[in-house]
Amino acid sequence: MKILHRDPHLLVVHKPAGWLVYSDTQGDVTPSCKAALEKKLGKKVWPVHRLDKETSGILVFALNSETAADLLRLFERGVPRKEYLALIHGSWEGTKTIRTPLKKNKSKELVTAQTEIMSEGIASKSGQNWSCVVARPKTGRYHQIRRHLAGEGLPIIGDELYCKREHTEREKDLGSDLPLCLCAISIEFPHPRTRKSLRVETQPDREMTAVARKIGLI
């Protein structure tokens, strides 16, 4: 885990794939960003949004309860502008806004969801097509980017939950232990104290970069 930004009120880190934001199960030995930060800083931190365990990238924590409350309100209103980089199955060019409603968590209730995707490149290798896209979620639904891309027939490489068998067969040539090739690469929001725009960026983990190199996208 790497600290990307820190000031007296908040900090922004790069969460590695495989880490939890925080553990809610006693005795869970999976590394968590919250626990690691509290050990490093010697003080309590407040997570104000979440990333899937398998997803890497930018994660924001507050350093006091007042800032936490302000940031939570910003995230609930969808104010922060977030960008994710994804490596996907298939060919995708151009820009599209996906507005397919999604089931709320594990219930049958459908909720509105919106994700904009933009092409960053296409590659072909061994008769298979792959693409790199930037995804901008306008809402924050459960597994939103993963479900929206899978629904378009463009599942994310390494997504064991939403890839169909035909996709996992294609991935065999990429090696074993593929990471989920999804990284939160940037976030921008008004700082809750200074009111100035704060933008933080990061790069994908080396495991995801290795996959991009293997399929010819870099």
Side-chain angles (χ1 to χ4, degrees):
M1 184 179 61
K2 180 181 180 182
I3 295 178
L4 303 172
H5 169 87
R6 181 181 177 184
D7 62 47
H9 308 287
L10 61 88
L11 56 81
V12 184
V13 304
H14 179 110
K15 183 188 87 67
W19 282 49
L20 299 170
V21 176
Y22 59 87
S23 177
D24 51 13
T25 303
Q26 189 173 6
D28 191 345
V29 297
T30 306
S32 82
C33 294
K34 184 176 188 294
L37 285 171
E38 290 179 341
K39 182 177 181 180
K40 179 180 179 66
L41 302 177
K43 61 183 292 184
K44 183 177 180 179
V45 299
W46 286 257
V48 295
H49 67 123
R50 300 192 69 168
L51 289 177
D52 300 338
K53 176 183 174 183
E54 299 87 354
T55 303
S56 61
I58 289 176
L59 190 61
V60 182
F61 286 86
L63 295 176
N64 54 68
S65 59
E66 295 81 6
T67 301
D70 290 341
L71 286 171
L72 282 168
R73 282 191 286 269
L74 286 179
F75 277 90
E76 287 170 357
R77 288 161 45 205
V79 172
R81 297 182 61 186
K82 297 176 284 185
E83 290 187 333
Y84 292 72
L85 195 69
L87 306 180
I88 61 174
H89 289 262
S91 297
W92 173 258
E93 291 183 297
T95 300
K96 179 178 183 178
T97 299
I98 305 170
R99 296 186 173 86
T100 308
L102 298 171
K103 289 183 179 179
K104 186 176 181 180
N105 296 332
K106 297 181 180 180
S107 72
K108 295 182 179 180
E109 178 187 356
L110 287 175
V111 290
T112 59
Q114 183 175 324
T115 307
E116 182 182 20
I117 58 172
M118 295 160 291
S119 173
E120 288 289 306
I122 298 174
S124 297
K125 186 173 183 179
S126 302
Q128 305 294 343
N129 294 323
W130 316 92
S131 300
C132 178
V133 299
V134 168
R136 292 176 176 166
K138 305 300 182 183
T139 49
R141 307 308 182 193
Y142 177 72
H143 289 179
Q144 177 175 314
I145 296 173
R146 296 167 66 179
R147 290 197 283 171
H148 266 170
L149 286 170
E152 295 291 314
L154 304 166
I156 298 171
I157 295 172
D159 194 338
E160 297 179 357
L161 190 57
Y162 296 106
C163 276
K164 296 179 179 179
R165 184 174 180 179
E166 63 187 89
H167 298 115
T168 56
E169 287 294 320
R170 294 175 193 163
E171 292 179 351
K172 288 182 178 180
D173 290 338
L174 302 181
S176 58
D177 298 323
L178 280 178
L180 174 69
C181 292
L182 178 66
C183 179
I185 58 169
S186 74
I187 192 166
E188 185 174 2
F189 58 90
H191 194 286
R193 292 293 170 267
T194 67
R195 305 303 177 189
K196 294 181 179 179
S197 178
L198 174 63
R199 180 178 174 85
V200 182
E201 300 178 350
T202 191
Q203 297 295 320
D205 291 352
R206 63 178 180 270
E207 292 84 1
M208 179 172 165
T209 301
V211 174
R213 185 174 292 110
K214 188 174 290 188
I215 61 181
L217 281 167
I218 58 174

